[in-house]
Amino acid sequence: GAVVSQHPSWVICKSGTSVKIECRSLDFQATTMFWYRQFPKQSLMLMATSNEGSKATYEQGVEKDKFLINHASLTLSTLTVTSAHPEDSSFYICSARALRRMPSTDTQYFGPGTRLTVL
Amino acid sequence: KQEVTQIPAALSVPEGENLVLNCSFTDSAIYNLQWFRQDPGKGLTSLLLIQSSQREQTSGRLNASLDKSSGRSTLYIAASQPGDSATYLCAVRTQGGSEKLVFGKGTKLTVNP
C-alpha cells in the first residue's frame, strides 16, 4: 500500500513553455501533498505544501506565479512550471500524507520523481 | 533555521562490512527524524522513522539511533550488500505543527562485491 505515482517521469521542453507534472496517491486519500525540488548533489528542498480544496502554501523564495499548484482531489495534485527556463531544470518529487494515519508511521510517501530538462 | 548535515558525503566499502552513516541537525526541537534511501534518478523510500521520544528503531539489518539533545542520529547497516548501494538521506520534521521535512544532502554509499 501507500503508493504515490508521478507523471511524466521525465520531460524535455523548450524554454518559455509550460510543463505540468501530476502526483497521484494510488491506494489512499491524501489531504496534503508536498512538492520538492532537488538539484544535482543537493538536498531536497520543499517548494510548497498543497492541501485539497485550498490554496497551496509556498516556501520562502518560491514564486507562486511560476509554480502553479492545484490539489483538485484527495488523490491528485498537479505542479505546473510556467514559462520554464533552463534554471528550472531539476528533479521534482512529490509526497503525500494519508487522510487516515497509516498504522505504523507518521511519514510522507514519496513519488518516483520527474526529471525536467529545459533547453 | 533548521539545518541538516550528513557525513560522509560518500562512502565506499567492501561487501559484508558493517557501517555507520551520520546525520546532525542544528535545532534539537524536532518532532521526528527519518532515514530514506534514494536510488539514482528515483524517488525516496522511507527506511526508518524515529519519534522525538524514541532512542532507536530497527528494521532488519538497519538500526537508527537518535540523540536529540546533541542533535545527532546514526544509521547503522550491518553486513552490507551490493544492493545497499544508494544515497541515504536524513530528514527531520521540526516541532510546531509544520509538516515540513528538512533534508540533508545525503551520503552516497557504494558496496563493492
Side-chain angles (χ1 to χ4, degrees):
Chain A
V3 176
V4 176
S5 70
Q6 280 185 241
H7 178 79
S9 56
W10 60 270
V11 57
I12 301 173
C13 69
K14 294 181 179 180
S15 183
T17 60
S18 295
V19 176
K20 179 184 285 188
I21 302 170
E22 293 185 349
C23 176
R24 293 181 184 272
S25 56
L26 297 184
D27 49 2
F28 65 99
Q29 293 182 319
T31 53
T32 304
M33 290 185 173
F34 305 87
W35 286 97
Y36 293 84
R37 181 168 52 181
Q38 185 180 35
F39 291 108
K41 298 186 178 181
Q42 299 296 314
S43 60
L44 274 75
M45 297 295 293
L46 180 66
M47 298 175 65
T49 301
S50 166
N51 292 295
E52 188 267 338
S54 64
K55 291 183 178 180
T57 302
Y58 291 81
E59 294 297 303
Q60 190 173 10
V62 178
E63 300 176 55
K64 61 181 181 180
D65 293 330
K66 180 171 182 62
F67 298 99
L68 302 179
I69 292 173
N70 182 16
H71 195 155
S73 75
L74 288 173
T75 59
L76 174 64
S77 176
T78 60
L79 168 68
T80 301
V81 183
T82 62
S83 186
H85 292 283
E87 58 265 31
D88 298 322
S89 298
S90 187
F91 194 54
Y92 292 84
I93 303 178
C94 72
S95 69
R97 173 180 298 286
L99 173 61
R100 295 177 183 173
R101 292 289 187 264
M102 295 299 181
S104 60
T105 70
D106 183 39
T107 192
Q108 298 173 19
Y109 295 92
F110 285 80
T114 296
R115 173 75 60 191
L116 171 63
T117 301
V118 184
L119 302 176
Chain B
K1 177 184 176 184
Q2 180 72 271
E3 293 183 0
V4 179
T5 303
Q6 291 187 245
I7 296 173
L11 180 64
S12 182
V13 300
E15 181 177 4
E17 266 202 14
N18 304 324
L19 58 100
V20 175
L21 308 181
N22 297 290
C23 172
S24 62
F25 45 95
T26 56
D27 185 350
S28 62
I30 65 170
Y31 185 77
N32 60 39
L33 181 146
Q34 280 188 254
W35 283 93
F36 293 88
R37 168 184 174 138
Q38 184 177 29
D39 292 286
K42 303 293 185 181
L44 276 64
T45 301
S46 179
L47 298 174
L48 291 165
L49 181 146
I50 310 177
Q51 301 292 352
S52 62
S53 59
Q54 297 175 323
R55 298 282 294 182
E56 66 176 347
Q57 283 287 331
T58 299
S59 176
R61 294 182 293 108
L62 306 179
N63 176 276
S65 68
L66 174 64
D67 185 342
K68 196 174 68 168
S69 62
S70 67
R72 294 179 181 179
S73 175
T74 61
L75 178 66
Y76 175 82
I77 302 178
S80 58
Q81 303 171 356
D84 295 330
S85 298
T87 296
Y88 291 81
L89 299 171
C90 168
V92 299
R93 178 180 166 186
T94 306
Q95 288 182 356
S98 170
E99 298 181 81
K100 176 180 178 178
L101 294 180
V102 179
F103 284 84
K105 291 184 180 182
T107 294
K108 183 177 181 180
L109 172 66
T110 302
V111 181
N112 301 300

